[in-house]
Amino acid sequence: NAGVTQTPKFRILKIGQSMTLQCTQDMNHNYMYWYRQDPGMGLKLIYYSVGAGITDKGEVPNGYNVSRSTTEDFPLRLELAAPSQTSVYFCASSYRAANTGELFFGEGSRLTVL
Amino acid sequence: DQQVKQNSPSLSVQEGRISILNCDYTNSMFDYFLWYKKYPAEGPTFLISISSIKDKNEDGRFTVFLNKSAKHLSLHIVPSQPGDSAVYFCAASGGTSGSRLTFGEGTQLTVNP
């Protein structure tokens, strides 16, 4: 079972570069999320989606963009990378809303901006 | 504004003993609470949850207790095993947060053989 798959697992970016973190789930979940985790901190919600074509901002959306054209895919776009975006990024999905059911997480993508 | 706090960054216990991980929250609208476990280089995995209509939920060696008046919940692991060594995150949702989860900072549990 693949579950939630994130690519790439590691990436180093220069300041000002752009990139897309890919996330795919094969569980036919409607809900998908992007979190970031900084050292010693909990996970912070960046963006989430309740279904194809619908996205909404989380706690820390600045500097990021998302799209949800299919149920399976939820890419996260960084347009102008900044050192403050150095973090570990986790994509997650759920069958029901997060406040009623569990989230399934990918293995994470470690991004370093120099 | 940290609405979910885990005040202990780390906890060390002996194998076979009880591990107690604590979590405090400030938002009285939270009505659903979850615990996630995270091993290094992996994503978090769901462990156990509790609704605000209950004060206890048990699943095998894991029990979560909720004290709504104190806005406090705890995770008990009995007996602790070396494989339980991981970072444990408390999370909460409800009220205006809707379907979004708010996570605590995490507690690193180390179970020594």
Side-chain angles (χ1 to χ4, degrees), chain B residues 77-95:
Chain B
I77 306 174
V78 183
S80 302
Q81 300 173 354
D84 296 329
S85 297
V87 177
Y88 288 79
F89 291 100
C90 167
S93 71

Side-chain angles (χ1 to χ4, degrees), chain A residues 33-37 40-45 59 90 92 98 101-105, chain B residues 1-6 23-25 30 34-38 44-46 88-93 99-106:
Chain A
Y33 314 82
W34 274 105
Y35 287 87
R36 60 177 285 174
Q37 185 191 10
M41 305 290 287
L43 286 78
K44 300 290 187 185
L45 182 64
E59 301 172 73
F90 291 99
E102 65 182 277
L103 272 61
F104 293 84
F105 284 85
Chain B
D1 176 24
Q2 187 68 20
Q3 297 187 69
V4 178
K5 283 198 68 65
Q6 296 176 253
C23 178
D24 297 296
Y25 62 95
F30 285 149
L34 309 91
W35 285 92
Y36 283 81
K37 179 169 71 173
K38 184 183 179 305
T45 55
F46 170 76
Y88 288 79
F89 291 100
C90 167
S93 71
S99 64
R100 302 182 298 182
L101 290 181
T102 300
F103 283 85
E105 306 94 326

Side-chain angles (χ1 to χ4, degrees), chain A residues 12-54:
Chain A
I12 298 175
L13 281 181
K14 293 183 179 179
I15 295 172
Q17 286 185 319
S18 61
M19 75 160 297
T20 299
L21 297 176
Q22 302 290 345
C23 176
T24 299
Q25 54 93 7
D26 62 359
M27 297 174 281
N28 202 32
H29 287 168
N30 284 324
Y31 298 84
M32 295 190 74
Y33 314 82
W34 274 105
Y35 287 87
R36 60 177 285 174
Q37 185 191 10
D38 300 323
M41 305 290 287
L43 286 78
K44 300 290 187 185
L45 182 64
I46 306 171
Y47 271 95
Y48 67 104
S49 169
V50 301
I54 305 170

Side-chain angles (χ1 to χ4, degrees), chain A residues 33-97:
Chain A
Y33 314 82
W34 274 105
Y35 287 87
R36 60 177 285 174
Q37 185 191 10
D38 300 323
M41 305 290 287
L43 286 78
K44 300 290 187 185
L45 182 64
I46 306 171
Y47 271 95
Y48 67 104
S49 169
V50 301
I54 305 170
T55 63
D56 207 348
K57 296 178 180 179
E59 301 172 73
V60 289
N62 292 343
Y64 306 95
N65 277 300
V66 293
S67 60
R68 185 92 183 273
S69 56
T70 66
T71 299
E72 296 77 20
D73 301 307
F74 191 42
L76 177 72
R77 178 86 177 159
L78 286 73
E79 288 295 348
L80 290 170
S84 61
Q85 293 178 305
T86 294
S87 190
V88 180
Y89 292 83
F90 291 99
C91 179
S93 71
S94 63
Y95 175 67
R96 298 178 292 174

